[in-house]
Amino acid sequence: MHPTYADVKAATDRISGHVRPVVLTPSEAGPGRQWRLALEHLQYSGSFKARGAVNFMLAHRERGLLPRVGVTIASGGNAGVACAWAARMVDSAATVFLPDSAPPVKVSRLRALGAQVMSGGESYADAAAECERYAAATGALRSHAYDDPYIAAGAGTLLEEIVAQAPDTDTVVVAVGGGGLLTGVATAAAHHGIRVIAVEPEYCRAFNAGLAAGHPVDVPIDSIGADSLGARRTSEMAIAVAAECDVRSVLVTDEQIIAARQFLWDDRRLAVEHAAGTALAALRSGAYVPEPDERVAVVVCGANTDPSDLAG
């Protein structure tokens, strides 16, 4: 079961005042084209993940389900950073299991937030297994990077803010990893009659493959965006919501992602991670071609990156 629109509305009320409202800004899109960038990389914790993490933490506190030992999560980085940030907000502790491939910049952020950082093995799946064992042994509350109704509903609050600022939005374009952002955004978008374009790297395509199969399947991961979008399989929630809502899956190459990320720096001086360039890459590459009068919002989802390779 994926969250309902009522869950997204409840999350909107719950996290109000705890997250930064998204900033929408126009982007160059050619004559008659109206693209807006949703600058969610400016969010607390450096990504949209703050929304779900705060909703998860506050909802469990409301229900008296926050254990003294704290919360634990497995993450490629961004969800862990958001979890640690939200845990600190409610005076709780966070233990984060990372795959060995996690970027040093995200490890540093986690430690700066006071999280206990644990090595979880080679892949996200390995880190998730270690996290499960830790939760069972200690009684820590197990959070999830994407496959949790509170996490997904929190992510859906982003679409509510986009609609509040730009009620004429026809389409929202989002990058997809495990599917938490997609699940929440698509749930809210369906209520407002907005189509969703789900974008993945061609060699990091868990949602695309699951959609084709009709259920989650394992895929190999080999992409420059894997540190944020590297889930080996998408959630059942994401597949279910895609079947009920107007969701289209498209793929882009690593080269197109790199070019889109570089464009955001060259054109706007936005230093974002490769996952945040993935959604825009679908438009700039032609993987998705909007109608001339289509009003498109593109989610720039995170900025937990080392920007040194953007100089020039």
Side-chain angles (χ1 to χ4, degrees):
M1 288 288 292
H2 63 78
T4 65
Y5 180 67
D7 295 323
V8 174
K9 289 296 289 180
T12 300
D13 294 338
R14 184 178 290 120
I15 72 175
S16 177
H18 295 290
V19 299
R20 288 175 173 151
V22 69
V23 174
L24 290 186
T25 182
S27 179
E28 297 295 331
R33 300 283 177 110
Q34 299 186 46
W35 297 353
R36 298 180 179 100
L37 300 179
L39 303 183
E40 191 64 357
H41 72 293
L42 301 176
Q43 188 56 260
Y44 294 122
S45 84
S47 81
F48 76 92
K49 296 279 190 180
R51 296 175 180 273
V54 172
N55 191 47
F56 177 90
M57 213 70 68
L58 293 180
H60 281 83
R61 187 174 69 174
E62 288 170 9
R63 297 168 59 198
L65 297 176
L66 264 183
R68 186 168 298 178
V69 70
V71 62
T72 186
I73 191 170
S75 168
N78 283 347
V81 170
C83 180
W85 171 78
R88 190 170 69 170
M89 177 188 296
V90 298
D91 295 321
S92 188
T95 299
V96 182
F97 287 83
L98 297 177
D100 297 338
S101 59
V105 65
K106 297 185 181 183
V107 176
S108 297
R109 288 215 65 192
L110 282 165
R111 289 180 173 147
L113 288 166
Q116 179 178 217
V117 181
M118 307 290 284
S119 174
E122 293 185 2
S123 68
Y124 170 78
D126 296 329
E130 288 297 319
C131 183
E132 290 283 3
R133 284 190 281 271
Y134 177 83
T138 65
L141 175 63
R142 172 77 159 92
S143 185
H144 199 282
Y146 55 87
D147 194 7
D148 179 277
Y150 286 122
I151 297 293
T157 65
L158 172 60
L159 195 281
E160 290 296 287
E161 292 182 12
I162 291 172
V163 170
Q165 296 182 48
D168 60 347
T169 300
D170 299 311
T171 302
V172 62
V173 185
V174 297
V176 185
L181 177 62
L182 172 67
T183 298
V185 165
T187 298
H191 177 82
H192 295 287
I194 295 172
R195 73 177 59 85
V196 178
I197 308 304
V199 191
E200 295 170 284
E202 62 180 354
Y203 295 118
C204 199
R205 51 184 289 268
F207 173 71
N208 179 269
L211 194 62
H215 57 84
V217 296
D218 287 343
V219 298
I221 302 300
D222 183 17
S223 170
I224 196 163
D227 65 310
S228 297
L229 306 177
R232 189 179 297 169
R233 70 164 46 201
T234 195
S235 68
E236 292 186 4
M237 292 193 303
I239 302 300
V241 78
E244 298 173 13
C245 306
D246 189 5
V247 177
R248 175 177 170 183
S249 172
V250 301
L251 303 176
V252 292
T253 67
D254 275 6
E255 291 74 21
Q256 290 163 346
I257 293 169
I258 292 167
R261 178 176 179 258
Q262 189 68 47
F263 170 81
L264 288 169
W265 173 251
D266 293 340
D267 186 64
R268 294 301 183 87
R269 282 301 187 257
L270 300 180
V272 302
E273 58 195 82
H274 286 101
T278 299
L280 183 60
L283 295 171
R284 290 183 54 80
S285 69
Y288 178 71
V289 181
E291 296 298 322
D293 60 348
E294 191 172 336
R295 294 171 175 84
V296 180
V298 186
V299 178
V300 182
C301 56
N304 290 316
T305 188
D306 180 351
S308 61
D309 59 346
L310 292 170

